Amino acid sequence: GPAVQVLIQCSVAFSILAVGCVTAVVLWPVIVSRYFLPRWPSSAHPKVLMALLGAETVVFLWVVKVANCSPLVGAFLAGLSLSQLPALRASWADQVSTLMRWLVWVFVACSVGFTIPIRSISALEVLTRVIALCLVPVAKSVSPLFARPFN
């Protein structure tokens, strides 16, 4: 029945998580640092690790999709497995900081944008306020043209 199906799915998810965590923390960092990274020049290690993280994420997401588990489990395991390497932490901070700032802006814009009911924007009072708020940056951009030097 449905209860057995849920129990099987939870068992599979727990097994993937348990095996993935042990592999990620114990086995994978040793394999990467001893056998994979020495094949590349040390200057390329940050980019190699980021590419490996991307590839590993795709593989883990495929495994959890086949097992009918949450994609969050695959993303967690991919991050966990390479977070044990200090070189990846430094590379992550360097290469993702610009992207992270942009993603924060997108997140804030979407969270604000999706909470505004679209039908209320067509009301005249709301529309005049929107136009007034849009004119503020324009006025601020034009105002230096009229400024006099203070000497």
Side-chain angles (χ1 to χ4, degrees), residues 24 28-29 32 36-37 40 44-62 71-97 99-100:
W28 191 239
V32 169
F36 191 77
L37 285 180
W40 300 88
H45 284 186
K47 291 183 180 177
V48 169
L49 286 171
M50 291 298 285
L52 187 60
L53 178 63
E56 188 177 13
T57 303
V58 169
V59 169
F60 274 122
L61 290 175
W62 176 77
L72 297 175
V73 173
F76 170 75
L77 290 174
L80 178 68
S81 65
L82 289 176
S83 69
Q84 306 302 315
L85 300 169
L88 181 70
R89 278 186 240 133
S91 174
W92 180 267
D94 289 342
Q95 296 186 18
V96 179
S97 62
L99 177 65
M100 191 61 80

Side-chain angles (χ1 to χ4, degrees), residues 14 36-37 48 59 62 83 97 101 103 106 110 115 117 124 141:
F14 181 75
F36 191 77
L37 285 180
V48 169
V59 169
W62 176 77
S83 69
S97 62
R101 277 186 259 138
L103 287 174
V106 169
C110 289
T115 59
L124 185 60
S141 299

